[in-house]
Amino acid sequence: MSEEEHELIRQRRAKLKILAERGEAYPNDFRRESLASQLQERYANEDKESLERLAVTTKVAGRVMLRRVMGKASFVTLQDSSGAIQCYIRRDDVGDQAYQDFDKLWDLGDIVGVCGTMMRTNKGELTVQASEIRLLGKALRPLPEKFHGLSDHEIKYRRRYLDLIVNESTRHVFTQRSRIIDAMRDFMQSHGFLEVETPMMQTIPGGAAARPFVTHHNALDIDLYLRVAPELYLKRLVVGGFDRVFEINRNFRNEGLSPKHNPEFTMLEFYQAFADYEDAMHLTENLIRSVAERVLGSTRITYQGEEVDFGVPIPRLTLFDALLKHTRFDAAELSDLQKLQAIAQGLELEPNREWGVGRFQMEIFDAAVEEHLTAPVFITQYPTEVSPLARRNANDPDVTDRFELFTCGRELANGFSELNDPDDQAERFRQQAARKDGGDLEAMHYDADYIEALEYGMPPTAGVGVGVDRVVMLFTDCASIRDVLLFPHMRPRK
């Protein structure tokens, strides 16, 4: 903190001391009647003369963002959660003491309440002419950069409250995030899906290949894991007879930080009985299209300069064909284990001797293909080796009936026809457990309880996980996942 900031804080604390001695430091008896946006909308078509005739009184409250002190009359702009409204303050209207306090004890950033009458200035700006003013909360620290905005990303993420105060664009992103989640929820419910909640702490983590966070339950004296995915619990509900279920909630994966990854993130995950991955692709496409139309008013968006249209049918391409299309390697090279090892080394990957052909293909796809998938596309037929919960393809057991939706070089959704054969699932769990014993920290555990559930019979089912944060990034044109998380994880300050 600079000496200038120290001095400003000292001055503000001195003002607070005066208010505290009068018993007026933090009052809690002012009740706001109107938000700024409500007033702006309600009186948008009223001119100066009509407002004078109406003589509408109101109470507004918010943070002082601008102030112009001009002798016996002044203007302040208050910002609340909905927007901003100007207030006109005259000594003759509010009284000598209140006006003197406003002039000498108020600062930018203070929380204030204003009672008054709606008017328009000679310049036509809708304004509250104050009859009473109250200081409701003293800001002891000055807002950043003299209120010209906050651009330092380190401060934006660590002190999101400051970012929200001074950057309207940030407030818009998180308003849109809320609307996007509402639209997703409404879409799922309108299609007959039941919203449920499943455990965040699990005795066995499952549902995704990811390293979990571990905690300990003292009363039971057992380790628990923060869930990496809700999948296995949601499918237990399908076994139980809930044919269509969904959950919007947090997942936790003990992985690195990047513009695309945060260890805590939000997913929409849904399951539909008596459906396959083709049905799931159709529903996912309609979901994204519906959300875009409702929140943005259009299926056409621009993301980081790229035009994307969800209003046209999304094409489908197998993972193998995507490798052929976006790399210089031919089918023979992409099917040979030794040649795949050489390709992986050329891409500076770190192959494991346990990898088979399918895992190599997946790793090469992630490294060399994904970034080229700008227009929306469903990539299908993922190798069985990397899809331990997906149903094998009836014509080729080496691949599964699985898809991922990509847009602008980023995965938005992952879905598949669910594996409902308990014996096949048990064998794949055993393979995963062997990899975990061999040092693969992202391999799955063997979940005997889930196998028992499958043995009671799960109908043919399709499931999908949609990355909510990534959809928000796309629809708000944000380059980093940190821009769409209110409080992203950060490295500790040294």
Side-chain angles (χ1 to χ4, degrees):
M1 186 184 299
S2 68
E3 290 186 13
E4 180 183 3
E5 288 175 305
H6 273 297
E7 176 59 21
L8 289 174
I9 292 172
R10 188 197 65 76
Q11 292 173 7
R12 290 182 179 222
R13 283 194 172 277
K15 296 174 184 179
L16 176 63
K17 183 178 179 181
I18 295 172
L19 294 167
E21 289 172 350
R22 297 192 333 215
E24 300 174 2
Y26 294 101
N28 192 21
D29 59 348
F30 184 90
R31 298 296 176 262
R32 178 172 57 191
E33 294 179 350
S34 302
L35 291 172
S37 63
Q38 294 170 337
L39 297 174
Q40 299 286 4
E41 182 179 352
R42 190 177 303 154
Y43 302 109
N45 298 320
E46 302 291 347
D47 59 18
K48 183 175 182 178
E49 289 74 21
S50 64
L51 285 173
E52 288 176 355
R53 289 194 302 270
L54 291 171
V56 177
T57 59
T58 189
K59 294 182 178 180
V60 295
R63 188 180 297 275
V64 177
M65 299 303 291
L66 293 171
R67 61 186 237 139
R68 289 177 289 154
V69 180
M70 303 174 294
K72 297 181 179 181
S74 301
F75 288 96
V76 296
T77 298
L78 300 188
Q79 178 177 287
D80 61 25
S81 61
S82 71
I85 189 75
Q86 180 173 267
C87 299
Y88 177 50
I89 302 173
R90 294 195 310 173
R91 183 194 299 269
D92 292 345
D93 294 332
V94 301
D96 289 342
Q97 182 64 60
Y99 195 83
Q100 183 176 344
D101 286 350
F102 158 74
D103 186 14
K104 304 299 183 182
L105 302 180
W106 290 23
D107 293 288
L108 292 175
D110 288 350
I111 309 297
V112 306
V114 174
C115 304
T117 305
M118 300 307 301
M119 61 168 280
R120 282 199 186 276
T121 64
N122 292 332
K123 294 183 178 180
E125 184 169 353
L126 188 67
T127 301
V128 179
Q129 182 170 349
S131 58
E132 179 185 354
I133 56 175
R134 298 278 303 281
L135 181 62
L136 308 178
K138 186 68 185 165
L140 298 179
R141 291 176 179 265
L143 295 180
E145 297 185 15
K146 298 183 180 178
F147 317 100
H148 294 306
L150 181 64
S151 58
D152 186 313
H153 282 80
E154 182 78 7
I155 297 177
K156 281 167 62 76
Y157 300 147
R158 291 191 187 277
R159 301 178 186 173
R160 181 66 82 186
Y161 49 90
L162 291 180
D163 186 24
L164 292 168
I165 289 171
V166 301
N167 285 331
E168 183 179 355
S169 60
T170 300
R171 296 194 298 275
H172 176 73
V173 165
F174 290 103
T175 299
Q176 291 293 79
R177 180 187 175 99
S178 180
R179 295 182 64 209
I180 288 166
I181 293 173
D182 283 346
M184 288 181 169
R185 176 174 284 110
D186 290 348
F187 177 90
M188 299 310 301
Q189 292 176 336
S190 71
H191 284 73
F193 285 79
L194 176 70
E195 184 171 13
V196 297
E197 294 178 315
T198 60
M200 293 283 194
M201 293 192 297
Q202 304 175 352
T203 54
I204 297 177
R211 185 177 181 180
F213 289 96
V214 187
T215 186
H216 189 78
H217 191 288
N218 292 329
L220 295 177
D221 193 23
I222 59 172
D223 284 342
L224 292 173
Y225 302 86
L226 295 181
R227 76 176 184 195
V228 296
E231 177 168 343
L232 299 187
Y233 281 91
L234 289 172
K235 288 195 286 194
R236 284 175 171 92
L237 298 179
V238 177
V239 171
F242 286 138
D243 288 347
R244 298 188 180 201
V245 293
F246 79 98
E247 182 171 8
I248 301 174
N249 223 321
R250 292 298 181 94
N251 292 341
F252 307 86
R253 298 181 185 177
N254 201 343
E255 59 189 16
L257 303 172
S258 79
K260 295 190 294 184
H261 296 95
N262 191 70
E264 179 180 359
F265 60 97
T266 303
M267 292 285 290
L268 159 65
E269 197 151 321
F270 63 85
Y271 292 84
Q272 179 179 349
F274 308 106
D276 64 10
Y277 81 122
E278 294 279 355
D279 300 308
M281 277 190 280
H282 179 71
L283 190 63
T284 302
E285 182 172 349
N286 287 339
L287 167 69
I288 300 297
R289 182 177 297 126
S290 173
V291 172
E293 288 175 338
R294 173 168 160 177
V295 176
L296 305 178
S298 173
T299 61
R300 300 177 67 90
I301 67 171
T302 300
Y303 181 75
Q304 304 295 292
E306 297 283 353
E307 295 287 336
V308 177
D309 188 3
F310 287 103
V312 297
I314 298 177
R316 303 173 185 188
L317 186 68
T318 70
L319 184 139
F320 194 78
D321 287 341
L323 287 167
L324 292 174
K325 180 177 180 180
H326 294 286
T327 70
R328 56 184 175 81
F329 309 111
D330 60 30
E333 292 174 296
L334 293 169
S335 304
D336 182 273
L337 185 59
Q338 289 185 333
K339 292 179 179 177
L340 285 167
Q341 290 173 335
I343 293 171
Q345 290 171 350
L347 293 171
E348 298 184 350
L349 300 177
E350 297 180 1
N352 186 297
R353 59 185 178 82
E354 300 292 332
W355 290 4
V357 168
R359 179 64 182 270
F360 273 107
Q361 290 174 346
M362 185 75 230
E363 296 289 336
I364 294 167
F365 173 87
D366 288 345
V369 176
E370 186 175 315
E371 62 182 328
H372 299 294
L373 305 178
T374 301
V377 61
F378 285 115
I379 301 297
T380 66
Q381 296 187 19
Y382 279 70
T384 302
E385 183 182 353
V386 296
S387 310
L389 299 169
R391 184 185 184 93
R392 295 178 192 268
N393 183 270
N395 299 316
D396 183 356
D398 290 332
V399 298
T400 58
D401 290 341
R402 175 185 169 189
F403 72 87
E404 289 186 338
L405 171 60
F406 287 89
T407 303
C408 297
R410 188 169 292 142
E411 174 202 341
L412 294 184
N414 176 29
F416 39 83
S417 298
E418 302 297 332
L419 179 57
N420 61 343
D421 178 340
D423 294 334
D424 189 354
Q425 184 65 82
E427 176 57 30
R428 296 204 216 174
F429 275 162
R430 282 190 284 269
Q431 293 171 2
Q432 287 285 309
R435 291 174 186 168
K436 180 169 288 295
D437 291 341
D440 186 347
L441 298 176
E442 294 188 350
M444 295 184 187
H445 293 245
Y446 188 97
D447 191 335
D449 182 79
Y450 178 68
I451 296 299
E452 182 177 325
L454 288 185
E455 289 174 344
Y456 281 97
M458 184 173 81
T461 299
V464 178
V466 179
V468 172
D469 306 313
R470 292 185 179 182
V471 173
V472 176
M473 289 170 64
L474 185 68
F475 285 2
T476 58
D477 195 17
C478 289
S480 172
I481 193 171
R482 293 181 178 183
D483 293 324
V484 301
L485 299 176
L486 281 168
F487 301 102
H489 289 275
M490 305 283 288
R491 296 185 186 280
R493 283 181 285 194
K494 297 180 179 179

